[in-house]
Amino acid sequence: MKQILFSGMIGLVLTLLGTPALIKLLAKHGYGQYIRDDGPKAHHSKRGTPTMGGIAFILATLIAYFGTKAITGEMPTASGLLVLFLTTGLGLVGFLDDYIKVVKRRSLGLRAKAKLLGQSFVALAFAILAMQFSDSRNLTPASQKLSFVQDFNWSIGPVLFVIWAYFMIAAMSNGVNLTDGLDGLATGASVMVFGAYTFIGLWEHGQNCAYAIKATASCYDVRDPLDLAVVAAALMGSCFGFLWWNTSPAKIFMGDTGSLALGGALAGLAIVSRTELLLAILGGLFVIITLSVIIQVGSFRMTGKRVFKMAPLQHHFELKGWSEVLIVVRFWIIQGLCVAVGLGLFYAGWVTG
């Protein structure tokens, strides 16, 4: 429990106090947000707001995690390090994209193929490495079984697992990226899901099969659940502190640096905690917003008509006249309900197991 408290508090303090310095640095060099002309007109006033703010909470998370290990004398685990690798790796891809947009003044950032190649390299490396590093019970950070609140009883094999993990990582990182369209929306939603994974990691640690006198269907075969809670708490605290500066009116945007990193962190936590399909419920807002884009594109291609005034979904409500703050708060409520339902299903799975 001490590790969780330390990592969360260190991450919170670092971003709360350190983000203003990053804002000044980015503003000094003119690294401001590019705003597309075909977006909502209300967003034009945001042009020039410092972006690449994901740097703040990525660095804060890394310092919080390794600082906690130094303070408590505990060793990092393979599962924790792999989630941090995925988070940081995708953050670097996003940083390159942001850098080209704001420094090289190329509005589309990285070429589509280059961006996809970078995301694929990080995701596939994570998936392959997650099947290595067996512990004394022969558990690896990830299993080759699909999971909901625990692993199902059948394996899909290493090749299909790598494909499945890649799909999860790509879907979640792009889902957070699509959600990051209004001040504080993606950051606040991510805080809630990381809070859920802090609880899940702590619960799985307390009910771990390694400590059970007799293994039952209710215990969890997860390699490093406590360390996953430490990582999730570091991410939650770091994002919470960043939200102070990212909420409306935002003083800084996370950019692709932050959104790709957060999506990767969520997918990584789900994979190594054996809650892969549960993530679709815990991160329900990201799923809903992604579906709105799929529906919009599919409808226009098949019928020539649009379902929404604009996609992603948050911009539809902007064009209907809702204020930005109203949309963000209501979407946060939806995300909170998704987390509540997801945790309820997680607990129900333990009770009925």
Side-chain angles (χ1 to χ4, degrees):
M1 183 60 102
K2 285 194 302 182
Q3 292 189 72
I4 295 172
L5 292 174
F6 281 138
S7 64
M9 287 303 299
I10 293 172
L12 172 65
V13 171
L14 286 175
T15 49
L16 195 59
L17 300 181
T19 303
L22 179 62
I23 293 172
K24 291 180 181 178
L25 178 65
L26 294 172
K28 179 181 178 181
H29 290 86
Y31 295 168
Q33 177 69 37
Y34 169 82
I35 303 295
R36 291 171 53 181
D37 292 330
D38 59 349
K41 292 182 179 179
H43 288 207
H44 292 176
S45 62
K46 301 180 181 184
R47 194 185 305 270
T49 301
T51 188
M52 297 191 286
I55 295 171
F57 56 74
I58 292 172
L59 289 176
T61 297
L62 293 173
I63 295 170
Y65 177 79
F66 289 108
T68 295
K69 295 301 176 182
I71 292 170
T72 60
E74 299 289 339
M75 292 296 294
T77 66
S79 300
L81 291 175
L82 280 169
V83 174
L84 292 174
F85 162 77
L86 181 59
T87 303
T88 307
L90 289 179
L92 285 173
V93 175
F95 173 79
L96 290 174
D97 191 43
D98 287 334
Y99 183 83
I100 291 172
K101 287 178 185 175
V102 302
V103 178
K104 301 298 183 181
R105 304 296 179 184
R106 197 169 79 203
S107 62
L108 295 178
L110 276 174
R111 306 285 184 194
K113 288 184 179 179
K115 189 173 183 180
L116 179 62
L117 183 63
Q119 289 177 291
S120 299
F121 174 80
V122 176
L124 293 175
F126 168 83
I128 293 169
L129 290 171
M131 292 186 290
Q132 316 302 319
F133 309 109
S134 300
D135 65 4
S136 58
R137 294 187 298 138
N138 204 34
L139 284 177
T140 54
S143 77
Q144 295 173 24
K145 300 176 181 178
L146 293 180
S147 60
F148 181 53
V149 295
Q150 291 193 54
D151 279 339
F152 295 121
N153 291 325
W154 35 272
S155 173
I156 60 175
V159 175
L160 285 179
F161 167 75
V162 169
I163 296 172
W164 167 243
Y166 172 77
F167 169 77
M168 279 192 64
I169 294 164
M172 209 64 211
S173 58
N174 288 317
V176 177
N177 186 252
L178 290 171
T179 304
D180 183 35
L182 300 181
D183 294 354
L185 179 57
T187 310
S190 297
V191 167
M192 297 182 206
V193 189
F194 289 133
Y197 271 109
T198 302
F199 170 81
I200 287 172
L202 191 58
W203 186 267
E204 289 180 339
H205 173 70
Q207 310 297 327
N208 200 272
C209 295
Y211 312 126
I213 297 175
K214 182 179 179 181
T216 66
S218 294
C219 70
Y220 299 93
D221 262 327
V222 177
R223 190 188 189 283
D224 308 297
L226 181 60
D227 210 39
L228 296 180
V230 175
V231 172
L235 285 159
M236 177 179 65
S238 298
C239 287
F240 206 19
F242 180 76
L243 183 60
W244 181 272
W245 306 103
N246 181 233
T247 195
S248 184
K251 300 294 187 295
I252 187 170
F253 300 136
M254 69 169 71
D256 281 12
T257 305
S259 60
L260 295 187
L262 293 182
L266 292 171
L269 286 168
I271 291 168
V272 295
S273 66
R274 315 293 203 266
T275 56
E276 295 160 358
L277 296 177
L278 185 64
L279 179 60
I281 299 173
L282 290 172
L285 180 64
F286 304 123
V287 175
I288 292 168
I289 287 176
T290 301
L291 286 175
S292 74
V293 175
I294 294 172
I295 292 169
Q296 183 85 326
V297 173
S299 175
F300 186 75
R301 287 183 176 176
M302 288 188 291
T303 67
K305 296 181 180 179
R306 293 178 172 86
V307 176
F308 307 106
K309 290 179 178 294
M310 187 177 182
L313 188 60
Q314 61 269 32
H315 299 319
H316 167 78
F317 289 106
E318 276 192 289
L319 295 181
K320 284 178 68 69
W322 290 22
S323 71
E324 181 171 4
V325 173
L326 179 64
I327 297 168
V328 170
V329 172
R330 286 181 173 174
F331 276 37
W332 279 351
I333 292 171
I334 293 170
Q335 178 55 51
L337 291 172
C338 291
V339 166
V341 171
L343 288 178
L345 290 171
F346 177 78
Y347 181 71
W350 178 78
V351 171
T352 59

